Amino acid sequence: MITAKFGGTAVTPRNLVYLKKIISPFHKVVVVSAVGKEFSSDVKTTDLLEKYFFSGDDNIWKAVEDKYRRLTEVNGIGIDVDELLFGAKARARRYGLQYCMSLGEELSAKIVAEYLGAAYVEADEVVRFGVRSLLFKETMSAMSNAYKGVKLAVTGGYYGMGKYGRQTFSRGGSDVTGALCAAATTSSLYENWTDVYGVCVADPVKVYGVSTIRSMSYSEMRALSRGGAEVLHPSAISPAERFSIPIKIGNFYNPQGASTLVSQCYSQNKLLSVTEQRVDGKIKTTILHNMNFAEISAVVSGFFGERYSVLNCFGVSINTEKNKTYSCVFSKNKAVLVTESTVIEDLYKYLRRAELIKVD
Ligand code: ASP
């Protein structure tokens, strides 16, 4: 039995057909996000809903309507979308911001359920929050009751019912709903379908052809998600880990293509991720890895050594050139470089030459 979650890009007029192709008789629960971006400058439904809540601007609501009308029209889905949208608008600004922002997932799930000929299971009925956080046990039992005996069910991600009304997870939270559904139905696999080939060491936009990390452990994925990898919500890991359910992160455009499997097995990759952040006017580059201290310090001093004089690479290394200071702090499985200007492109090149970043 499989639980599959589809991100917003799959739930767009031209891509919904890919979702349908993936669903097999082994699938039991499908979790969907709100309609996502169709092109890079497009605005996600959830962002539109947030703006609509604060402004009440009818043009923004029309943009939301347009997304869902086209979703049904392009795919020939026989649902009364006008009635759905009318009902959603009436509730949109009445029950608070989180309620309004959850409407995209609710609309997506109702439409996708009709499209797949599946049962619609309302997230309010199965995802339970306490005053602040998720009530795990209540959610598990509500879900196992709701999905029992259902052949295929569709549920909206990202929200559920709280003590004082509907509540959402943080952004990207449909991943969490999917993981909870997988746990409650003791699925043998949790598929998380996105528009990229799983998790890569480097940004695929900057390193053309960078290869996917084929497998990694739950804890490695957790470190990556916490470090800002946007491919999976950090809270989606524990429910799967608790029941040893592997998470497959794959590309819905090419389901047989490269993907990342997150399970109990540790990655074979020496390098897991290289990310860059701007913090207080400095550039912080974080390298997550599976190397021992000697190996990672050789990589870092090798990189800096090509450009700057390395004074010391043990614990903290300070390198000076042209009165600039560079520092590197090592902790277990992590090296953080702090520099005055970006080094990521050079670092990518260096790591490619060292064959720590592989390209296909
Ligand atoms: N639609 C929400 C967001 O854009 C939740 C999700 O997609 O998981 O963050």
Side-chain angles (χ1 to χ4, degrees):
M1 196 194 303
I2 301 173
T3 294
K5 178 260 163 178
F6 291 87
T9 324
V11 193
T12 49
R14 307 241 160 252
N15 288 342
L16 204 58
V17 61
Y18 293 103
L19 178 155
K20 196 176 208 166
K21 277 193 207 147
I22 287 171
I23 302 305
S24 74
F26 299 110
H27 286 85
K28 168 100 171 167
V29 184
V30 174
V31 172
V32 286
S33 283
V35 171
K37 290 185 182 190
E38 285 182 75
F39 43 92
S40 59
S41 60
D42 197 8
V43 184
K44 287 182 175 182
T45 304
T46 313
D47 293 319
L48 288 172
L49 289 168
E50 183 176 21
K51 286 206 185 93
Y52 178 67
F53 181 78
F54 290 115
S55 67
D57 181 345
D58 262 338
N59 287 325
I60 299 178
W61 183 262
K62 283 209 178 75
V64 173
E65 289 197 342
D66 182 52
K67 284 181 185 284
Y68 287 90
R69 276 215 179 87
R70 284 194 309 107
L71 187 70
T72 53
E73 278 163 20
V74 170
N75 295 286
I77 305 169
I79 196 167
D80 191 342
V81 70
D82 289 331
E83 195 189 309
L84 274 188
L85 292 167
F86 183 79
K89 189 176 184 191
R91 290 177 281 136
R93 299 182 70 224
R94 203 183 280 176
Y95 306 109
L97 175 64
Q98 295 196 6
Y99 192 102
C100 187
M101 289 174 72
S102 75
L103 287 170
E105 270 72 10
E106 183 194 312
L107 290 167
S108 288
K110 287 180 172 164
I111 292 168
V112 172
E114 178 72 28
Y115 179 58
L116 297 176
Y120 172 70
V121 173
E122 172 53 59
D124 283 339
E125 308 285 326
V126 291
V127 178
R128 300 288 169 149
F129 292 96
V131 179
R132 266 186 223 108
S133 50
L134 179 84
L135 299 175
F136 185 74
K137 273 198 195 142
E138 282 80 346
T139 300
M140 287 298 102
S141 75
M143 282 185 166
S144 45
N145 286 334
Y147 298 122
K148 203 180 285 158
V150 177
K151 215 166 150 262
L152 180 67
V154 181
T155 294
Y158 181 51
Y159 73 95
M161 185 50 82
K163 215 163 176 281
Y164 305 111
R166 198 180 270 195
Q167 205 170 312
T168 62
F169 292 107
S170 57
R171 294 296 301 267
S174 301
D175 288 344
V176 187
T177 310
L180 293 167
C181 291
T185 57
T186 51
S187 291
S188 50
L189 182 65
Y190 170 32
E191 293 175 342
N192 195 292
W193 294 105
T194 68
D195 54 359
V196 293
Y197 288 102
V199 185
C200 303
V201 176
D203 180 351
V205 176
K206 290 189 178 142
V207 182
Y208 183 75
V210 59
S211 55
T212 297
I213 303 174
R214 296 302 177 122
S215 87
M216 70 174 80
S217 67
Y218 297 111
S219 56
E220 288 171 328
M221 187 68 231
R222 194 173 282 116
L224 252 67
S225 303
R226 291 206 179 122
E230 279 175 5
V231 66
L232 190 71
H233 193 291
S235 307
I237 300 161
S238 295
E241 185 176 19
R242 216 151 149 166
F243 295 87
S244 303
I245 303 166
I247 309 169
K248 172 181 166 155
I249 305 168
N251 190 335
F252 66 81
Y253 287 115
N254 180 7
Q256 313 305 336
S259 62
T260 301
L261 195 71
V262 184
S263 71
Q264 271 138 342
C265 303
Y266 280 83
S267 168
Q268 299 294 312
N269 277 51
K270 283 194 172 275
L271 201 63
L272 290 173
S273 88
V274 184
T275 48
E276 186 181 75
Q277 258 179 308
R278 187 174 285 277
V279 184
D280 300 332
K282 300 235 179 207
I283 305 285
K284 198 173 132 188
T285 307
T286 306
I287 303 175
L288 295 178
H289 61 85
N290 270 328
M291 289 178 247
N292 62 32
F293 183 70
E295 288 172 314
I296 184 66
S297 54
V299 168
V300 174
S301 59
F303 171 63
F304 278 113
E306 276 195 354
R307 295 158 182 78
Y308 319 105
S309 55
V310 180
L311 300 183
N312 163 22
C313 210
F314 293 92
V316 178
S317 74
I318 308 292
N319 310 275
T320 47
E321 167 158 298
K322 294 179 201 140
N323 299 326
K324 285 182 180 166
T325 305
Y326 303 85
S327 71
C328 175
V329 179
F330 296 100
S331 54
K332 194 172 178 281
N333 301 121
K334 188 162 144 182
V336 180
L337 317 176
V338 179
T339 50
E340 309 264 307
S341 52
T342 177
V343 291
I344 199 153
E345 310 260 341
D346 283 348
L347 187 57
Y348 279 161
K349 277 187 206 138
Y350 178 79
L351 294 169
R352 266 197 67 174
R353 260 186 289 127
E355 291 190 6
L356 286 163
I357 291 182
K358 297 196 176 65
V359 290
D360 289 329

